Amino acid sequence: KSVIGFGGDFKPLPFLKLQAGVMTGGNYGTQVPLGIMIMAPSGAYEFGIASRDALSFFTQNGPTLSLSLGFARMRF
């Protein structure tokens, strides 16, 4: 089955980025990923945390817990 999703981000403050989306299809139900990112004023460093499915925090059926860590530095 196909997976369909869309999302975006919003930057209410120069150092804060909020991210959200919706995904459905495949072998999964509807998922709502959410994220928050804090950036240094120079833009050189970023720290963020995200959930693959924020709905799973509020439901008893099929809760999901995931953690991702990574490091990458590219500047163009």
Side-chain angles (χ1 to χ4, degrees):
K1 291 183 177 180
S2 298
V3 175
I4 299 169
F6 66 93
D9 58 48
F10 174 63
K11 198 171 177 183
L13 299 169
F15 61 88
L16 180 67
K17 187 186 293 185
L18 305 174
Q19 304 159 328
V22 175
M23 182 179 80
T24 188
N27 294 326
Y28 302 100
T30 301
Q31 295 180 338
V32 179
L34 293 176
I36 184 170
M37 185 178 297
I38 299 170
M39 298 167 284
S42 66
Y45 298 99
E46 299 175 345
F47 171 78
I49 188 167
S51 169
R52 185 173 178 180
D53 183 19
L55 296 177
S56 67
F57 296 131
F58 305 105
T59 62
Q60 294 295 322
N61 297 339
T64 301
L65 179 62
S66 65
L67 173 67
S68 295
L69 300 171
F71 176 81
R73 179 73 174 121
M74 292 179 266
R75 191 106 175 167
F76 297 98

